[in-house]
Amino acid sequence: MVRRPVLCRGVERELGWSMGTGASRGTGTRRRSAGRGLTGAQRALLVGGCLVNIGTFAVYPYLAVLLRDRLGVGMAQVGVVLGVATLVQFASAPLTAAFAERIGLKRCLLLATSVYGLGAVTYLVGAEDPALTVLALFLGCGAGALYSPAYRGYLVHSATAEQRPKALSAGNAAGNLGIALGPVVGAVFLHDPGRLFAMTTALYAVLAVGHFFLRPESAAASPARVEPFRRVLKGLAGLPFAVTVLTHYLYMQFYQYLSPFAEDRVPTAVYGVVMMGYSLAVVAVQPLVARRVGRVGYPSAVAVGSCCMALGMVAFAGGRVVGLAAGVAAMAVGTAVLFLKNDLEALAGSTRSATVTFGQQRLAVGVGSLLSGVVGGAVYGLFERAELLPGFWLAVAAQCLLLPPLVLVVARRLSRTG
């Protein structure tokens, strides 16, 4: 008789089915679970996740201008403030995820929406006070750090391994829809920041009420043992963490540096439409490929996603509208595959709860974004000074092809030596 480890039995309890000695019984249970659609509570949370991002991204694209005007400083100082706030948001995610594990996912979501609302009110009343504006920025970042791991954890807390791709892709699609619509909403109110923050305050108030009535997660899905805060990185899935860092290092170069590159090459309105198209394409693509991404091996998914990203970077080098549109389409496919597969592999390889695992993944996103800002910004500056900016995208495309296999090979060798 083969004895299963305690971890395996714990995972079975979390997923809600038993791998008993009767193979037909286990298979039948899994098939019934796999066929179950999203619950009403999950659908309600998807709406909430979309609206949260509408409120966030109605403000986020215009924060640099807002801070410059309210603080009365240059863009260099504004960049430092934004960089520190973003780093705090991502670096604190493992801690906020562990906090959500302790107080419960519903309570954490309710607290996060309340902090979002407090941040919006602080923006509203702090129009003439630079200190209040900075406080509002950090409140928004803190709310995001609380909301994201709990949001994803709630979506998969009772899902089987077969159901996770669908639940995660639906959550990502809802979030990306909010990212696409948020800047449009912000542009409508941008001429009057007071109205913008009054609108976001009302939105978060409604969301707080909605999350209050959200069904609590089942107690059976809670971990049997909660680790202390000092061990928030215990049980980290090393390979998905490393690939997530790399994915966002490459992706953020597209997100951060395409705007200045396209500034004198395509009309601003066209660029805005193209970037909205990217978010909407991810909304459309990820649910369509979710089941296939869940089944394919990790190296294959990394290869497909990285090659699509490389094609997108090459298309950007032309600097034409058609090239930007084609590049964005390729990037949408590549990131849809990589973002989903990285999270699925992290869930499969981690020994912690789904919520804590997502917190660890948010930290990886933050590290990759930081590397993109430091390394990518320096490389972009070199090509800009040499007046060879199209070459920057070719250099990033080369990294998309060379770095992922290198990370996989190094990880395989480390696992063998370990």
Side-chain angles (χ1 to χ4, degrees):
M1 177 180 178
V2 179
R3 299 187 64 183
R4 298 191 302 279
V6 174
L7 171 62
C8 185
R9 294 198 298 271
V11 171
E12 291 168 15
R13 285 194 301 270
E14 180 176 349
L15 297 183
W17 49 268
S18 172
M19 294 171 59
T21 55
S24 61
R25 176 183 173 185
T27 302
T29 304
R30 288 196 298 274
R31 283 175 181 168
R32 287 193 299 272
S33 298
R36 190 183 67 185
L38 296 174
T39 66
Q42 287 173 318
R43 292 192 183 96
L45 188 59
L46 291 177
V47 175
C50 177
L51 292 176
V52 161
N53 273 359
I54 287 178
T56 299
F57 284 86
V59 177
Y60 185 79
Y62 314 109
L63 268 179
V65 175
L66 178 76
L67 290 173
R68 183 191 63 191
D69 294 344
R70 289 193 175 185
L71 302 183
V73 297
M75 291 303 293
Q77 290 84 353
V78 168
V80 171
V81 173
L82 287 173
V84 171
T86 303
L87 180 62
V88 168
Q89 177 175 348
F90 285 114
S92 65
L95 291 171
T96 57
F99 176 73
E101 188 180 58
R102 281 162 172 77
I103 70 170
L105 302 181
K106 174 187 171 178
R107 291 175 181 171
C108 190
L109 291 166
L110 179 58
L111 175 62
T113 51
S114 300
V115 176
Y116 269 127
L118 181 60
V121 170
T122 307
Y123 274 126
L124 182 62
V125 302
E128 306 298 330
D129 191 330
L132 285 180
T133 297
V134 173
L135 175 61
L137 170 63
F138 279 88
L139 284 172
C141 289
L146 283 168
Y147 194 89
S148 181
Y151 169 74
R152 292 167 181 257
Y154 189 98
L155 287 174
V156 303
H157 77 273
S158 61
T160 67
E162 291 87 350
Q163 293 166 346
R164 281 176 170 175
K166 180 178 180 180
L168 274 181
S169 64
N172 292 341
N176 276 288
L177 182 60
I179 292 172
L181 297 178
V184 178
V185 174
V188 173
F189 294 95
L190 186 60
H191 65 283
D192 186 353
R195 291 179 60 193
L196 173 62
F197 294 122
M199 181 274 295
T200 54
T201 299
L203 174 63
Y204 290 131
V206 171
L207 284 171
V209 173
H211 284 76
F212 177 81
F213 289 103
L214 190 68
R215 180 182 302 169
E217 69 275 12
S218 63
S222 301
R225 181 189 175 201
V226 177
E227 296 285 350
F229 280 105
R230 67 178 181 276
R231 306 182 74 180
V232 292
L233 296 182
K234 180 186 176 182
L236 183 142
L239 179 57
F241 186 91
V243 176
T244 300
V245 170
L246 177 60
T247 298
H248 281 269
Y249 160 71
L250 298 170
Y251 160 73
M252 288 302 292
Q253 299 194 53
F254 147 68
Y255 203 81
Q256 291 172 329
Y257 306 122
L258 187 59
S259 175
F261 176 75
E263 187 174 10
D264 296 325
R265 292 177 171 86
V266 300
T268 302
V270 172
Y271 173 78
V273 170
V274 167
M275 292 304 292
M276 180 186 290
Y278 165 78
S279 296
L280 294 177
V282 174
V283 171
V285 169
Q286 199 171 76
L288 292 176
V289 302
R291 181 173 295 181
R292 188 178 297 273
V293 170
R295 292 175 177 173
V296 74
Y298 199 24
S300 298
V302 171
V304 170
S306 301
C307 287
C308 287
M309 290 180 70
L311 288 173
M313 301 298 182
V314 171
F316 296 147
R320 306 280 185 177
V321 172
V322 174
L324 261 61
V328 160
M331 286 292 298
V333 176
T335 55
V337 171
L338 285 171
F339 290 173
L340 178 58
K341 192 62 177 179
N342 287 341
D343 282 345
L344 291 173
E345 286 296 309
L347 288 170
S350 174
T351 59
R352 302 295 297 276
S353 69
T355 305
V356 171
T357 300
F358 287 129
Q360 294 169 345
Q361 285 294 97
R362 288 282 288 179
L363 177 60
V365 171
V367 173
S369 301
L370 179 62
L371 287 175
S372 176
V374 175
V375 178
V379 174
Y380 187 91
L382 288 175
F383 279 97
E384 187 175 40
R385 287 190 293 273
E387 298 184 352
L388 295 171
L389 267 181
F392 169 78
W393 299 109
L394 300 180
V396 179
Q399 293 177 70
C400 290
L401 296 176
L402 297 175
L403 294 181
L406 179 62
V407 169
L408 293 173
V409 169
V410 170
R412 187 176 293 113
R413 289 183 178 179
L414 289 176
S415 64
R416 287 175 181 171
T417 57

